[in-house]
Amino acid sequence: MLITNIKGLVGIHHKDKLVLRGSELYHLPVLENAWLLIEDGLIKDFGEMGSIPSQISNLPSQISAKGRYIFPSWCDSHTHIVFAASREEEFAMKIQGKTYEEIAAAGGGILNSANKLQKATEDELFESAAIRLKQMILQGTGAVEIKSGYGLTTESEIKMLRVIRRLKDQFPTPIKATFLAAHAFPAEFKNDHQGYINLIINEMLPRIAEENLADYIDVFCEKGFFSVEETDQILKAGAKYGLKPKIHANQLSVSGAIEVAVNNNAISVDHLEESNEETIETLRNADTIVTLLPSCSFYLGIPFADAKNFIKADLPIALATDYNPGSTPSGNMNFVVSLGCIKMKMFPEQAINAATLNGAAAMEISENYGSIAIGKKANLFITKPMPSIAYLPYSFGESQVDTVILNGEIYHG
């Protein structure tokens, strides 16, 4: 496939550049008036229109992208898209001013989703998650991480992870699976935390390892959920089975989650709506990626993460959706990029890099995804005609994605 007359080819980073830290996020190379050649699902070559080689200029499978930009696909490194039902019944509670903790205490929240999921079949879960994933792909997402965590029993957590594996097998996008049984304590273990942790460690983990169902392990480390000590115990148990940590950290409070994450060599710490100088200092000397979820802040009405200070501290920032039925019922990465700019005061270049190359790095796939480079996978999207790159986040709520290309082929859903 040859794409010609591209207004701008966005995100051209050297293939060896796997993550962007601090000031590097502002550097978003764009080649104007460009062509791009795709072969065998990979980016074969690109350049300026004036230098297009004669031997490829007459290829039969050509697309003209006049007036349009080409972006690397969004890489969404934090989602919970396998769930049984939406939770709009909690929507009014939020409008009334009920807090996240109050809704959970009233039987809502994660336990509400767990009750519904335990009754759903694997096929039902797969079919609903597939619809969500297709919609995300059509909005420009070309790689995704999906967490379990609405099962909270051995059979239901395994069921979720098997659904994620089916999605992996049937969709043309890379998908990473994260085991998140430590999302909340089931009602029967409300006063027996160690009993549930033992269930995770002694029963769930061996079965997940036996079936090779997960890439990562995650814990919701927060007051009212899992303590720092409990988190450390679970992460160390996961490591024995080769599961690398990705932590829900500092969503509602500065909890010590960052320190336990870094001590366990976490790939990413996600949320960080609450942070302080200690948070930044702990992360400054680590390779851990800071994954920010602004649409969660938007929906819950909680503070937005301090992206500017994280960038100033030379940290690697990623953006992701947190798509889930309770706190972020949307998988639209375009809106996430807009919120990164509007609410977290990131420049468009920073937000786009955070949602592409650094999102890929948070899933350990940036060798092949997240930027435009020869030899990388041709997971891209072509925009509608736009006056500039900044127009994409500027026009929030409007999709500027026109054509989605995955593995070098146009994706129709």
Side-chain angles (χ1 to χ4, degrees):
M1 183 191 297
L2 177 65
I3 308 172
T4 58
N5 301 306
I6 304 162
K7 182 170 185 177
L9 196 52
V10 180
I12 301 169
H13 293 288
H14 193 278
K15 193 171 188 293
D16 293 338
K17 192 65 181 172
L18 302 182
V19 67
L20 300 165
R21 299 184 74 99
S23 59
E24 293 178 322
L25 280 159
Y26 189 69
H27 184 55
L28 182 70
V30 179
L31 183 65
E32 296 181 353
N33 191 26
W35 58 271
L36 176 76
L37 179 64
I38 297 169
E39 193 175 285
D40 297 327
L42 304 177
I43 297 169
K44 176 75 172 174
D45 206 356
F46 57 85
E48 294 180 350
M49 281 303 295
S51 64
I52 188 167
S54 56
Q55 66 266 32
I56 67 165
S57 59
N58 295 314
L59 279 176
S61 53
Q62 284 196 31
I63 297 173
S64 175
K66 194 169 179 63
R68 303 163 191 266
Y69 289 86
I70 290 184
F71 283 70
S73 293
W74 305 127
C75 296
D76 189 351
S77 63
H78 185 128
T79 81
H80 306 253
I81 64 168
V82 177
F83 55 87
S86 54
R87 284 179 9 211
E88 66 275 9
E89 67 272 17
E90 296 173 17
F91 192 48
M93 295 172 76
K94 290 185 176 75
I95 293 166
Q96 289 166 356
K98 302 283 187 191
T99 67
Y100 191 76
E101 295 98 321
E102 286 171 333
I103 290 169
I110 294 161
L111 295 185
N112 185 5
S113 281
N115 289 334
K116 291 174 177 176
L117 186 134
Q118 286 164 14
K119 295 167 188 168
T121 68
E122 187 179 311
D123 286 343
E124 287 168 342
L125 292 171
F126 173 78
E127 285 160 16
S128 63
I131 290 168
R132 294 178 199 114
L133 184 53
K134 274 181 193 171
Q135 190 58 42
M136 292 166 69
I137 292 170
L138 291 170
Q139 291 172 330
T141 295
V144 66
E145 181 251 22
I146 309 171
K147 301 177 189 294
S148 70
Y150 292 130
L152 306 187
T153 66
T154 302
E155 291 310 319
S156 290
E157 285 292 314
I158 297 288
K159 179 168 64 176
M160 287 189 78
L161 290 166
R162 284 176 179 160
V163 168
I164 297 169
R165 183 164 63 189
R166 283 174 66 179
L167 294 170
K168 280 187 185 186
D169 291 342
Q170 296 199 28
F171 278 82
T173 52
I175 295 173
K176 292 282 190 170
T178 298
F179 172 52
L180 178 60
H183 202 190
F185 285 98
E188 61 268 33
F189 289 100
K190 187 178 179 183
N191 299 313
D192 182 17
H193 285 195
Q194 191 58 46
Y196 183 57
I197 291 167
N198 290 344
L199 185 72
I200 291 172
I201 294 171
N202 299 327
E203 194 171 298
M204 296 188 196
L205 274 170
R207 286 191 57 185
I208 288 160
E210 186 183 341
E211 293 188 44
N212 194 25
L213 288 173
D215 303 293
Y216 302 112
I217 189 166
D218 196 343
V219 180
F220 188 10
C221 185
E222 187 57 76
K223 64 178 182 182
F225 293 89
F226 289 80
S227 71
V228 168
E229 294 76 20
E230 290 165 345
T231 299
D232 187 59
Q233 187 183 358
I234 293 164
L235 296 184
K236 284 181 166 51
K240 290 177 183 173
Y241 293 97
L243 300 183
K244 299 177 183 179
K246 290 167 74 73
I247 310 286
H248 281 62
N250 289 23
Q251 180 177 358
L252 307 172
S253 64
V254 177
S255 63
I258 302 300
E259 289 76 9
V260 73
V262 169
N263 288 341
N264 283 279
N265 300 311
I267 301 301
S268 68
V269 284
D270 301 23
H271 277 290
L272 276 74
E273 288 86 353
E274 300 290 341
S275 64
N276 57 20
E277 271 304 312
E278 276 183 52
T279 302
I280 288 174
E281 283 308 311
T282 302
L283 288 165
R284 201 192 291 269
N285 300 314
D287 292 326
T288 301
I289 291 168
V290 179
T291 301
L292 308 181
L293 310 167
S295 48
C296 177
S297 297
F298 171 82
Y299 187 76
L300 291 180
I302 62 176
F304 285 84
D306 190 5
K308 291 194 80 169
N309 266 336
F310 293 145
I311 292 169
K312 191 176 172 184
D314 205 36
L315 302 181
I317 306 298
L319 290 175
T321 63
D322 193 21
Y323 190 179
N324 74 80
S327 63
T328 319
S330 167
N332 189 343
M333 281 292 284
N334 303 283
F335 184 53
V336 168
V337 171
S338 293
L339 286 175
C341 298
I342 297 163
K343 291 294 189 178
M344 299 199 299
K345 306 304 178 189
M346 297 174 77
F347 291 107
E349 295 86 351
Q350 294 170 327
I352 291 163
N353 274 325
T356 52
L357 187 61
N358 278 8
M363 294 183 272
E364 300 181 289
I365 57 170
S366 55
E367 283 185 9
N368 293 305
Y369 300 90
S371 64
I372 305 291
I374 292 170
K376 279 199 169 188
K377 283 280 189 181
N379 279 26
L380 319 158
F381 64 84
I382 306 174
T383 70
K384 297 171 182 174
M386 296 195 313
S388 68
I389 292 169
Y391 188 80
L392 190 148
Y394 157 83
S395 61
F396 77 96
E398 295 286 329
S399 175
Q400 300 305 329
V401 177
D402 187 55
T403 304
V404 171
I405 296 171
L406 295 178
N407 301 318
E409 297 182 6
I410 294 173
Y411 181 82
H412 298 288

